[in-house]
Coordinates of all heavy atoms in Angstrom, one line a residue:
M1083 N 0.9 -1.2 0.0 CA 0.0 0.0 0.0 C 0.9 1.2 0.0 O 1.8 1.3 0.7 CB -0.9 -0.1 1.3 CG -1.7 1.2 1.5 SD -3.2 1.4 0.6 CE -4.0 -0.1 0.8
D1084 N 0.6 2.2 -0.9 CA 1.3 3.3 -1.0 C 1.2 4.1 0.3 O 0.3 3.9 1.0 CB 0.8 3.9 -2.3 CG 0.8 5.4 -2.5 OD1 1.0 6.1 -1.5 OD2 0.4 5.7 -3.6
A1085 N 2.1 5.0 0.5 CA 2.1 5.8 1.8 C 0.9 6.7 1.7 O 0.5 7.3 2.8 CB 3.3 6.7 1.8
N1086 N 0.2 6.8 0.7 CA -1.0 7.7 0.5 C -2.1 7.1 1.3 O -2.4 5.9 1.3 CB -1.4 7.7 -1.0 CG -2.6 8.5 -1.3 OD1 -3.4 8.8 -0.4 ND2 -2.8 8.8 -2.6
K1087 N -2.7 7.9 2.2 CA -3.7 7.5 3.1 C -5.1 7.9 2.5 O -6.1 7.9 3.3 CB -3.6 8.1 4.4 CG -2.3 7.6 5.2 CD -2.2 8.3 6.5 CE -0.9 7.9 7.2 NZ -0.8 8.4 8.5
E1088 N -5.2 8.1 1.2 CA -6.5 8.5 0.6 C -7.5 7.5 0.8 O -8.8 7.9 1.0 CB -6.2 8.7 -0.9 CG -7.2 9.6 -1.6 CD -7.3 11.0 -1.0 OE1 -6.2 11.5 -0.6 OE2 -8.4 11.5 -1.0
W1089 N -7.2 6.2 0.9 CA -8.3 5.2 1.1 C -9.0 5.4 2.4 O -10.1 5.1 2.5 CB -7.7 3.8 1.1 CG -6.7 3.5 2.2 CD1 -5.4 3.8 2.2 CD2 -7.1 2.9 3.4 NE1 -4.9 3.4 3.4 CE2 -5.9 2.8 4.2 CE3 -8.2 2.4 4.0 CZ2 -5.8 2.2 5.4 CZ3 -8.3 1.8 5.3 CH2 -7.0 1.8 6.0
M1090 N -8.3 5.9 3.4 CA -9.0 6.2 4.7 C -10.0 7.2 4.7 O -10.9 7.3 5.6 CB -7.9 6.5 5.8 CG -6.9 5.3 6.0 SD -5.6 5.8 7.2 CE -6.5 5.9 8.8
K1091 N -10.0 8.0 3.7 CA -10.9 9.2 3.5 C -12.1 8.7 2.6 O -13.0 9.6 2.4 CB -10.3 10.3 3.0 CG -9.2 10.9 3.8 CD -8.5 12.1 3.1 CE -7.2 12.5 3.9 NZ -6.4 13.4 3.1
D1092 N -12.2 7.5 2.1 CA -13.2 7.0 1.3 C -14.6 7.1 2.0 O -14.6 6.7 3.2 CB -13.0 5.6 0.8 CG -13.9 5.2 -0.3 OD1 -15.1 5.0 0.0 OD2 -13.4 5.0 -1.4
P1093 N -15.5 7.8 1.5 CA -16.9 7.9 2.1 C -17.5 6.6 2.6 O -18.2 6.6 3.5 CB -17.7 8.6 1.1 CG -16.8 9.2 0.1 CD -15.6 8.4 0.2
A1094 N -17.2 5.5 1.9 CA -17.8 4.2 2.3 C -17.4 3.8 3.7 O -18.0 3.0 4.3 CB -17.4 3.1 1.3
L1095 N -16.2 4.4 4.1 CA -15.7 3.9 5.4 C -16.1 4.8 6.6 O -15.6 4.7 7.7 CB -14.1 3.9 5.4 CG -13.6 2.9 4.4 CD1 -12.1 3.1 4.4 CD2 -14.0 1.5 4.7
A1096 N -17.1 5.8 6.3 CA -17.4 6.7 7.3 C -18.0 6.0 8.6 O -17.8 6.6 9.7 CB -18.5 7.6 6.7
G1097 N -18.5 4.8 8.5 CA -19.1 4.2 9.7 C -18.0 3.3 10.4 O -18.4 2.7 11.5
I1098 N -16.9 3.2 10.0 CA -15.8 2.5 10.6 C -15.0 3.3 11.5 O -14.6 4.4 11.3 CB -14.8 1.9 9.5 CG1 -15.5 1.1 8.4 CG2 -13.7 1.0 10.2 CD1 -16.1 -0.3 8.9
D1099 N -14.8 2.8 12.8 CA -14.1 3.4 13.8 C -12.7 3.9 13.3 O -12.0 3.0 12.7 CB -14.0 2.5 15.0 CG -13.4 3.1 16.2 OD1 -12.4 3.9 16.1 OD2 -13.8 2.7 17.3
K1100 N -12.4 5.1 13.6 CA -11.0 5.6 13.2 C -9.9 4.8 13.7 O -8.8 4.7 13.2 CB -10.9 7.1 13.5 CG -11.9 8.0 12.8 CD -11.9 7.9 11.3 CE -12.9 8.8 10.7 NZ -13.3 8.5 9.3
A1101 N -10.0 4.3 14.9 CA -9.0 3.5 15.6 C -8.7 2.3 14.8 O -7.6 1.9 14.6 CB -9.4 3.2 17.0
K1102 N -9.8 1.7 14.2 CA -9.6 0.5 13.4 C -8.9 0.9 12.1 O -8.0 0.1 11.6 CB -11.0 -0.1 13.1 CG -11.6 -0.8 14.2 CD -12.9 -1.4 13.9 CE -13.6 -2.1 15.1 NZ -14.8 -2.8 14.7
L1103 N -9.2 1.9 11.5 CA -8.5 2.4 10.3 C -7.1 2.7 10.5 O -6.2 2.4 9.7 CB -9.3 3.6 9.7 CG -10.7 3.3 9.2 CD1 -11.4 4.6 8.7 CD2 -10.7 2.2 8.1
S1104 N -6.8 3.3 11.7 CA -5.4 3.6 12.0 C -4.6 2.4 12.2 O -3.5 2.2 11.8 CB -5.3 4.5 13.3 OG -5.8 5.7 13.0
F1105 N -5.2 1.3 12.8 CA -4.6 0.0 13.0 C -4.3 -0.6 11.7 O -3.2 -1.1 11.5 CB -5.6 -0.9 13.9 CG -5.1 -2.2 14.0 CD1 -4.1 -2.6 14.9 CD2 -5.6 -3.3 13.1 CE1 -3.7 -3.9 15.0 CE2 -5.1 -4.6 13.3 CZ -4.1 -4.9 14.2
L1106 N -5.2 -0.5 10.7 CA -4.9 -1.0 9.5 C -3.8 -0.3 8.7 O -3.0 -1.0 8.1 CB -6.2 -1.0 8.5 CG -7.3 -2.0 8.9 CD1 -8.6 -1.7 8.1 CD2 -6.9 -3.4 8.8
E1107 N -3.8 1.0 8.9 CA -2.7 1.8 8.3 C -1.3 1.3 8.8 O -0.3 1.1 8.1 CB -2.9 3.2 8.5 CG -1.8 4.1 7.9 CD -1.7 4.1 6.4 OE1 -2.8 3.7 5.7 OE2 -0.7 4.3 5.8
K1108 N -1.2 1.1 10.2 CA 0.0 0.5 10.7 C 0.3 -0.8 10.1 O 1.5 -1.1 10.0 CB -0.2 0.5 12.3 CG -0.2 1.8 12.9 CD -0.4 1.7 14.4 CE -0.6 3.0 15.0 NZ -1.1 2.9 16.5
L1109 N -0.7 -1.6 10.0 CA -0.5 -3.0 9.4 C 0.1 -2.9 8.0 O 1.1 -3.6 7.7 CB -1.9 -3.7 9.3 CG -1.9 -4.9 8.4 CD1 -1.1 -6.0 9.0 CD2 -3.3 -5.3 8.2
F1110 N -0.3 -2.0 7.2 CA 0.2 -1.8 5.8 C 1.6 -1.3 5.8 O 2.4 -1.8 5.1 CB -0.7 -0.9 5.0 CG -2.0 -1.5 4.7 CD1 -3.2 -0.9 5.0 CD2 -2.1 -2.8 4.1 CE1 -4.4 -1.4 4.8 CE2 -3.3 -3.4 3.9 CZ -4.5 -2.7 4.3
V1111 N 1.9 -0.4 6.8 CA 3.3 0.1 6.9 C 4.2 -1.0 7.2 O 5.3 -1.2 6.7 CB 3.3 1.2 7.9 CG1 4.8 1.6 8.2 CG2 2.6 2.5 7.4
Q1112 N 3.8 -1.8 8.2 CA 4.6 -3.0 8.8 C 4.9 -4.0 7.7 O 5.8 -4.7 7.6 CB 4.0 -3.5 10.0 CG 4.2 -2.6 11.2 CD 3.5 -3.2 12.4 OE1 2.9 -4.2 12.5 NE2 3.6 -2.5 13.5
S1113 N 3.7 -4.3 6.9 CA 3.8 -5.4 5.9 C 4.6 -5.0 4.7 O 4.9 -6.0 3.9 CB 2.3 -5.8 5.5 OG 1.8 -4.8 4.8
A1114 N 4.9 -3.8 4.5 CA 5.6 -3.4 3.3 C 6.9 -4.1 3.2 O 7.4 -4.4 2.1 CB 5.8 -1.9 3.3
S1115 N 7.5 -4.4 4.3 CA 8.9 -5.0 4.2 C 8.8 -6.5 4.4 O 9.8 -7.2 4.4 CB 9.8 -4.4 5.4 OG 9.2 -4.8 6.6
I1116 N 7.6 -7.2 4.4 CA 7.5 -8.5 4.6 C 7.3 -9.2 3.3 O 6.5 -8.8 2.5 CB 6.3 -8.9 5.5 CG1 6.3 -8.2 6.8 CG2 6.1 -10.3 5.6 CD1 7.4 -8.6 7.7
D1117 N 8.1 -10.3 3.1 CA 8.0 -11.2 1.9 C 6.9 -12.2 2.2 O 7.1 -13.1 3.0 CB 9.2 -11.8 1.6 CG 9.2 -12.8 0.4 OD1 8.1 -12.9 -0.1 OD2 10.2 -13.4 0.0
M1118 N 5.7 -12.0 1.7 CA 4.6 -12.8 2.0 C 4.6 -14.2 1.4 O 3.8 -15.1 1.7 CB 3.2 -12.2 1.6 CG 2.8 -11.0 2.3 SD 2.6 -11.4 4.1 CE 2.4 -9.7 4.8
T1119 N 5.6 -14.5 0.6 CA 5.8 -15.8 0.1 C 6.8 -16.6 1.0 O 6.9 -17.8 0.8 CB 6.4 -15.7 -1.4 OG1 7.7 -15.1 -1.3 CG2 5.5 -15.0 -2.3
N1120 N 7.4 -15.9 1.9 CA 8.4 -16.5 2.8 C 7.7 -16.7 4.2 O 7.5 -15.8 4.9 CB 9.6 -15.6 3.0 CG 10.6 -16.2 3.9 OD1 10.4 -17.1 4.7 ND2 11.9 -15.7 3.8
Q1121 N 7.4 -18.0 4.5 CA 6.7 -18.3 5.7 C 7.5 -18.0 6.9 O 6.9 -17.7 8.0 CB 6.2 -19.8 5.7 CG 5.1 -20.1 4.8 CD 4.5 -21.4 5.0 OE1 4.9 -22.2 5.9 NE2 3.5 -21.7 4.3
K1122 N 8.8 -18.0 6.9 CA 9.7 -17.6 8.0 C 9.5 -16.1 8.4 O 9.7 -15.7 9.5 CB 11.0 -17.9 7.8 CG 11.4 -19.4 7.8 CD 12.8 -19.7 7.7 CE 13.1 -21.2 7.7 NZ 14.5 -21.5 7.7
E1123 N 9.1 -15.3 7.3 CA 8.9 -13.9 7.7 C 7.4 -13.7 7.9 O 7.1 -12.8 8.8 CB 9.3 -13.1 6.4 CG 10.7 -12.9 6.2 CD 11.0 -11.9 5.0 OE1 10.2 -10.9 4.9 OE2 12.0 -12.2 4.3
M1124 N 6.5 -14.4 7.3 CA 5.1 -14.1 7.3 C 4.6 -14.5 8.7 O 3.8 -13.8 9.3 CB 4.4 -14.8 6.2 CG 3.0 -14.5 6.1 SD 2.2 -15.2 4.6 CE 0.5 -15.2 5.0
L1125 N 5.0 -15.7 9.2 CA 4.5 -16.2 10.5 C 4.7 -15.3 11.6 O 3.7 -14.9 12.4 CB 5.0 -17.6 10.7 CG 4.4 -18.3 12.0 CD1 2.8 -18.4 11.9 CD2 5.0 -19.7 12.2
P1126 N 5.9 -14.8 11.9 CA 6.1 -13.8 13.0 C 5.3 -12.5 12.8 O 4.7 -12.0 13.8 CB 7.6 -13.5 13.0 CG 8.2 -14.6 12.3 CD 7.2 -15.1 11.3
F1127 N 5.2 -12.1 11.5 CA 4.4 -11.0 11.3 C 2.9 -11.1 11.7 O 2.3 -10.3 12.4 CB 4.5 -10.5 9.8 CG 3.5 -9.5 9.4 CD1 3.7 -8.1 9.8 CD2 2.4 -9.8 8.6 CE1 2.8 -7.2 9.4 CE2 1.4 -8.8 8.2 CZ 1.6 -7.5 8.6
L1128 N 2.4 -12.3 11.2 CA 1.0 -12.6 11.5 C 0.7 -12.8 13.1 O -0.3 -12.3 13.6 CB 0.5 -13.8 10.8 CG 0.5 -13.6 9.3 CD1 0.1 -15.0 8.6 CD2 -0.5 -12.6 8.9
L1129 N 1.7 -13.3 13.7 CA 1.5 -13.5 15.2 C 1.6 -12.2 15.9 O 0.8 -12.0 16.8 CB 2.6 -14.5 15.7 CG 2.5 -15.9 15.3 CD1 3.7 -16.7 15.7 CD2 1.2 -16.6 15.8
S1130 N 2.5 -11.3 15.5 CA 2.6 -10.0 16.1 C 1.3 -9.2 15.8 O 0.8 -8.4 16.6 CB 3.8 -9.3 15.6 OG 3.7 -8.9 14.3
L1131 N 0.7 -9.4 14.6 CA -0.5 -8.7 14.3 C -1.6 -9.2 15.2 O -2.4 -8.3 15.7 CB -0.9 -9.0 12.8 CG -2.2 -8.5 12.3 CD1 -2.3 -7.0 12.4 CD2 -2.4 -9.0 10.9
S1132 N -1.7 -10.4 15.4 CA -2.8 -11.0 16.2 C -2.6 -10.4 17.6 O -3.6 -10.0 18.2 CB -2.7 -12.5 16.3 OG -3.6 -13.0 17.1
K1133 N -1.4 -10.4 18.1 CA -1.1 -9.9 19.5 C -1.5 -8.5 19.6 O -2.1 -8.0 20.6 CB 0.3 -10.2 19.9 CG 0.7 -9.7 21.2 CD 2.3 -9.9 21.6 CE 2.5 -9.3 22.9 NZ 4.0 -9.3 23.1
L1134 N -1.0 -7.7 18.6 CA -1.3 -6.2 18.6 C -2.8 -5.9 18.6 O -3.3 -5.1 19.3 CB -0.6 -5.7 17.4 CG -0.6 -4.1 17.3 CD1 0.1 -3.5 18.5 CD2 0.0 -3.6 16.0
S1135 N -3.6 -6.7 17.8 CA -5.0 -6.4 17.7 C -5.7 -6.7 19.1 O -6.6 -6.1 19.5 CB -5.6 -7.3 16.6 OG -5.5 -8.6 16.7
K1136 N -5.2 -7.8 19.7 CA -5.8 -8.2 21.0 C -5.4 -7.1 22.1 O -6.3 -6.7 22.9 CB -5.3 -9.5 21.4 CG -5.9 -10.7 20.7 CD -5.4 -12.0 21.1 CE -6.0 -13.1 20.3 NZ -5.4 -14.4 20.6
E1137 N -4.2 -6.7 22.1 CA -3.7 -5.6 23.0 C -4.4 -4.3 22.8 O -4.7 -3.6 23.8 CB -2.2 -5.3 22.9 CG -1.3 -6.5 23.3 CD 0.1 -6.3 23.0 OE1 0.5 -5.3 22.3 OE2 1.0 -7.1 23.5
N1138 N -4.9 -4.0 21.6 CA -5.5 -2.8 21.3 C -7.0 -2.9 21.3 O -7.8 -2.0 20.8 CB -5.0 -2.1 20.1 CG -3.6 -1.6 20.3 OD1 -3.4 -0.6 20.9 ND2 -2.6 -2.3 19.7
N1139 N -7.5 -4.2 21.5 CA -9.0 -4.5 21.5 C -9.5 -4.1 20.1 O -10.6 -3.5 20.1 CB -9.7 -3.8 22.6 CG -11.0 -4.5 22.9 OD1 -11.2 -5.7 22.7 ND2 -11.9 -3.7 23.5
I1140 N -8.9 -4.5 19.1 CA -9.3 -4.3 17.7 C -9.8 -5.5 17.1 O -9.0 -6.5 17.1 CB -8.2 -3.7 16.8 CG1 -7.6 -2.4 17.4 CG2 -8.6 -3.5 15.4 CD1 -8.5 -1.2 17.2
S1141 N -11.0 -5.5 16.7 CA -11.6 -6.7 15.9 C -12.5 -6.1 14.9 O -13.0 -5.0 15.0 CB -12.2 -7.6 16.9 OG -13.4 -7.0 17.4
F1142 N -12.7 -6.9 13.8 CA -13.5 -6.5 12.7 C -14.5 -7.6 12.5 O -14.2 -8.8 12.5 CB -12.6 -6.4 11.4 CG -11.6 -5.3 11.5 CD1 -10.3 -5.7 12.0 CD2 -11.8 -4.0 11.1 CE1 -9.4 -4.7 12.1 CE2 -10.9 -3.1 11.2 CZ -9.6 -3.4 11.7
D1143 N -15.8 -7.2 12.3 CA -16.8 -8.1 11.9 C -16.7 -8.4 10.4 O -16.0 -7.7 9.7 CB -18.2 -7.7 12.4 CG -18.8 -6.5 11.7 OD1 -18.5 -6.3 10.5 OD2 -19.5 -5.7 12.4
K1144 N -17.5 -9.5 10.0 CA -17.4 -9.9 8.6 C -17.8 -8.7 7.7 O -17.2 -8.6 6.6 CB -18.3 -11.1 8.4 CG -18.2 -11.8 7.2 CD -18.9 -13.2 7.3 CE -20.2 -13.1 6.5 NZ -20.9 -14.3 6.3
D1145 N -18.8 -8.0 8.0 CA -19.2 -6.9 7.1 C -18.2 -5.8 7.0 O -17.9 -5.2 5.9 CB -20.6 -6.3 7.6 CG -21.7 -7.3 7.4 OD1 -21.7 -8.1 6.6 OD2 -22.7 -7.1 8.2
E1146 N -17.5 -5.5 8.1 CA -16.4 -4.5 8.2 C -15.3 -4.9 7.2 O -14.7 -4.1 6.5 CB -15.9 -4.2 9.5 CG -16.9 -3.4 10.4 CD -16.3 -3.3 11.8 OE1 -15.8 -4.2 12.4 OE2 -16.6 -2.2 12.4
V1147 N -14.9 -6.2 7.4 CA -13.8 -6.7 6.6 C -14.1 -6.7 5.1 O -13.3 -6.2 4.3 CB -13.5 -8.3 6.9 CG1 -12.5 -8.9 6.0 CG2 -13.0 -8.3 8.4
A1148 N -15.3 -7.0 4.8 CA -15.7 -7.0 3.3 C -15.7 -5.6 2.8 O -15.2 -5.3 1.6 CB -17.1 -7.7 3.1
L1149 N -16.3 -4.7 3.6 CA -16.3 -3.3 3.1 C -14.9 -2.7 3.0 O -14.5 -2.1 2.0 CB -17.1 -2.5 4.1 CG -17.1 -0.9 3.9 CD1 -17.7 -0.6 2.5 CD2 -17.8 -0.2 5.0
I1150 N -14.1 -2.9 4.0 CA -12.7 -2.3 4.0 C -11.9 -3.0 2.8 O -11.2 -2.2 2.1 CB -12.0 -2.6 5.3 CG1 -12.6 -1.7 6.4 CG2 -10.4 -2.3 5.2 CD1 -12.3 -2.2 7.8
Y1151 N -12.0 -4.2 2.6 CA -11.3 -4.9 1.5 C -11.7 -4.3 0.2 O -10.9 -4.1 -0.7 CB -11.6 -6.4 1.6 CG -10.8 -7.3 0.6 CD1 -9.5 -7.5 0.9 CD2 -11.3 -7.7 -0.6 CE1 -8.7 -8.2 0.0 CE2 -10.5 -8.4 -1.5 CZ -9.3 -8.7 -1.2 OH -8.5 -9.4 -2.1
S1152 N -13.0 -4.1 0.0 CA -13.5 -3.6 -1.4 C -12.9 -2.2 -1.5 O -12.6 -1.8 -2.7 CB -15.0 -3.6 -1.4 OG -15.6 -2.7 -0.6
V1153 N -12.9 -1.4 -0.5 CA -12.3 0.0 -0.6 C -10.9 -0.1 -0.9 O -10.3 0.7 -1.7 CB -12.7 0.8 0.6 CG1 -11.9 2.1 0.8 CG2 -14.2 1.1 0.8
L1154 N -10.1 -0.9 -0.1 CA -8.6 -1.0 -0.3 C -8.3 -1.3 -1.8 O -7.3 -0.9 -2.3 CB -8.1 -2.0 0.7 CG -7.9 -1.5 2.1 CD1 -7.6 -2.6 3.0 CD2 -7.0 -0.3 2.2
Q1155 N -9.1 -2.3 -2.3 CA -8.8 -2.7 -3.6 C -8.9 -1.6 -4.6 O -8.1 -1.6 -5.6 CB -9.9 -3.8 -4.2 CG -9.6 -5.1 -3.5 CD -10.5 -6.2 -4.0 OE1 -11.8 -6.0 -4.0 NE2 -9.9 -7.3 -4.4
K1156 N -9.7 -0.5 -4.4 CA -9.7 0.6 -5.3 C -8.4 1.4 -5.3 O -8.1 2.1 -6.2 CB -10.9 1.6 -4.9 CG -12.3 1.0 -5.1 CD -13.4 2.0 -5.0 CE -13.5 2.5 -3.6 NZ -14.7 3.4 -3.4
Y1157 N -7.7 1.4 -4.2 CA -6.6 2.3 -4.0 C -5.3 1.4 -4.0 O -4.2 2.1 -3.7 CB -6.6 3.0 -2.6 CG -7.8 4.0 -2.6 CD1 -9.1 3.5 -2.1 CD2 -7.7 5.2 -3.1 CE1 -10.2 4.3 -2.0 CE2 -8.8 6.1 -2.9 CZ -10.0 5.6 -2.4 OH -11.0 6.5 -2.4
S1158 N -5.3 0.1 -4.2 CA -4.1 -0.7 -4.2 C -3.6 -1.2 -5.5 O -4.3 -1.3 -6.5 CB -4.5 -1.9 -3.3 OG -4.9 -1.5 -2.0
S1159 N -2.3 -1.5 -5.4 CA -1.7 -2.1 -6.6 C -2.0 -3.6 -6.6 O -2.5 -4.2 -5.6 CB -0.2 -1.9 -6.6 OG 0.4 -2.7 -5.5
K1160 N -1.7 -4.3 -7.7 CA -1.9 -5.8 -7.7 C -1.1 -6.5 -6.7 O -1.5 -7.4 -6.0 CB -1.6 -6.3 -9.1 CG -2.5 -5.9 -10.1 CD -2.2 -6.5 -11.5 CE -3.3 -6.1 -12.5 NZ -3.1 -6.7 -13.8
E1161 N 0.1 -5.9 -6.4 CA 1.0 -6.5 -5.4 C 0.4 -6.4 -4.0 O 0.4 -7.3 -3.2 CB 2.4 -5.8 -5.5 CG 3.4 -6.4 -4.5 CD 4.7 -5.7 -4.5 OE1 5.3 -5.7 -5.6 OE2 5.1 -5.2 -3.5
D1162 N -0.1 -5.2 -3.7 CA -0.7 -5.0 -2.5 C -2.0 -5.8 -2.3 O -2.2 -6.4 -1.1 CB -1.2 -3.5 -2.3 CG 0.0 -2.6 -2.2 OD1 1.0 -3.0 -1.7 OD2 -0.2 -1.4 -2.6
I1163 N -2.8 -6.0 -3.3 CA -4.0 -6.9 -3.2 C -3.6 -8.3 -3.0 O -4.2 -9.0 -2.1 CB -4.8 -6.8 -4.6 CG1 -5.4 -5.4 -4.7 CG2 -5.9 -7.9 -4.5 CD1 -6.1 -5.0 -5.9
S1164 N -2.5 -8.8 -3.6 CA -2.0 -10.1 -3.3 C -1.6 -10.3 -1.9 O -1.9 -11.3 -1.2 CB -0.8 -10.4 -4.3 OG -0.2 -11.6 -4.0
K1165 N -0.9 -9.3 -1.3 CA -0.5 -9.3 0.1 C -1.7 -9.4 1.0 O -1.8 -10.2 2.0 CB 0.3 -8.1 0.5 CG 1.7 -8.2 0.2 CD 2.5 -7.0 0.7 CE 4.0 -7.1 0.5 NZ 4.8 -6.1 1.2
M1166 N -2.8 -8.6 0.7 CA -4.0 -8.5 1.5 C -4.6 -9.9 1.4 O -5.1 -10.4 2.5 CB -4.9 -7.5 1.0 CG -4.6 -6.1 1.4 SD -5.8 -4.9 0.9 CE -5.5 -4.7 -0.8
E1167 N -4.6 -10.5 0.2 CA -5.2 -11.9 0.1 C -4.5 -12.9 0.9 O -5.2 -13.7 1.6 CB -5.3 -12.3 -1.3 CG -6.3 -11.5 -2.1 CD -6.3 -11.7 -3.6 OE1 -5.3 -12.3 -4.1 OE2 -7.2 -11.3 -4.3
K1168 N -3.2 -12.8 1.0 CA -2.4 -13.7 1.8 C -2.7 -13.6 3.3 O -2.8 -14.5 4.0 CB -1.0 -13.7 1.4 CG -0.6 -14.3 0.1 CD 0.8 -14.1 -0.2 CE 1.1 -14.9 -1.5 NZ 1.7 -14.1 -2.5
I1169 N -2.7 -12.3 3.7 CA -3.0 -12.0 5.1 C -4.4 -12.5 5.4 O -4.5 -13.2 6.5 CB -2.8 -10.5 5.5 CG1 -1.3 -10.2 5.3 CG2 -3.3 -10.2 6.9 CD1 -1.0 -8.7 5.4
S1170 N -5.4 -12.1 4.6 CA -6.7 -12.5 4.9 C -6.9 -14.0 5.0 O -7.7 -14.5 5.8 CB -7.7 -11.8 4.0 OG -7.6 -12.3 2.7
S1171 N -6.3 -14.7 4.1 CA -6.5 -16.2 4.0 C -5.8 -16.8 5.3 O -6.3 -17.8 5.8 CB -6.0 -16.8 2.8 OG -4.5 -16.7 2.7
A1172 N -4.8 -16.2 5.8 CA -4.1 -16.7 6.9 C -5.0 -16.6 8.2 O -5.0 -17.4 9.1 CB -2.8 -16.0 7.2
F1173 N -5.8 -15.6 8.2 CA -6.8 -15.3 9.3 C -8.2 -15.7 9.0 O -9.2 -15.5 9.7 CB -6.8 -13.8 9.7 CG -5.6 -13.4 10.6 CD1 -4.4 -12.9 10.0 CD2 -5.6 -13.7 11.9 CE1 -3.4 -12.6 10.7 CE2 -4.5 -13.4 12.7 CZ -3.4 -12.8 12.1
H1174 N -8.4 -16.3 7.8 CA -9.7 -16.8 7.3 C -10.7 -15.7 7.2 O -11.9 -15.8 7.6 CB -10.2 -17.9 8.2 CG -9.3 -19.0 8.4 ND1 -8.9 -19.8 7.3 CD2 -8.5 -19.4 9.4 CE1 -8.0 -20.7 7.8 NE2 -7.7 -20.4 9.0
F1175 N -10.3 -14.5 6.8 CA -11.2 -13.3 6.6 C -11.9 -13.5 5.3 O -11.5 -14.3 4.5 CB -10.4 -12.0 6.5 CG -9.7 -11.5 7.8 CD1 -8.6 -10.8 7.7 CD2 -10.2 -11.8 9.0 CE1 -8.0 -10.3 8.8 CE2 -9.6 -11.5 10.2 CZ -8.5 -10.7 10.0
R1176 N -12.8 -12.7 5.0 CA -13.6 -12.6 3.8 C -14.5 -13.7 3.6 O -14.7 -14.7 3.9 CB -12.7 -12.4 2.6 CG -12.0 -11.1 2.6 CD -11.2 -10.8 1.4 NE -11.2 -12.0 0.6 CZ -10.7 -12.2 -0.6 NH1 -10.2 -11.2 -1.1 NH2 -10.7 -13.3 -1.2

């Protein structure tokens, strides 16, 4: 995901808690350096993501995930979409 935070201003996300959107932005920044094809890199990242979400009491319901994913696709490159799909499949999102 590009450093551009334009996706966070998409009107479709108006009902999503800003703390959740900020959490996702941090996720994208952290994931930029992760090789999602390398399980040795991906697993620690996913475990830290899970821990961080629990520590910050951040969770997303199925409808939020679907909405956020559809918005992110509008603003993302094919590479970013591929990363999102790998992360979401690891957590059984979507």
Side-chain angles (χ1 to χ4, degrees):
M1083 171 81 47
D1084 146 355
N1086 183 342
K1087 296 181 183 183
E1088 201 59 33
W1089 67 272
M1090 294 176 73
K1091 298 175 189 171
D1092 191 291
L1095 299 177
I1098 305 287
D1099 185 325
K1100 298 299 180 203
K1102 290 181 178 185
L1103 296 177
S1104 293
F1105 175 81
L1106 288 175
E1107 183 61 25
K1108 289 176 189 172
L1109 163 69
F1110 292 125
V1111 169
Q1112 291 175 357
S1113 71
S1115 63
I1116 303 295
D1117 177 0
M1118 292 298 174
T1119 62
N1120 181 340
Q1121 287 192 357
K1122 287 184 179 182
E1123 286 187 38
M1124 190 172 161
L1125 185 59
F1127 169 74
L1128 293 175
L1129 291 173
S1130 69
L1131 171 63
S1132 178
K1133 181 182 176 191
L1134 186 62
S1135 66
K1136 287 178 184 174
E1137 288 173 352
N1138 290 287
N1139 200 28
I1140 300 284
S1141 64
F1142 298 89
D1143 66 35
K1144 193 167 104 173
D1145 292 336
E1146 288 175 322
V1147 171
L1149 174 62
I1150 292 167
Y1151 187 78
S1152 69
V1153 169
L1154 285 171
Q1155 285 184 310
K1156 294 191 292 187
Y1157 297 90
S1158 300
S1159 68
K1160 288 182 182 185
E1161 182 181 305
D1162 291 332
I1163 292 170
S1164 177
K1165 278 187 176 184
M1166 286 186 280
E1167 288 172 349
K1168 286 180 175 123
I1169 292 170
S1170 67
S1171 68
F1173 282 97
H1174 308 291
F1175 292 152
R1176 295 186 349 177

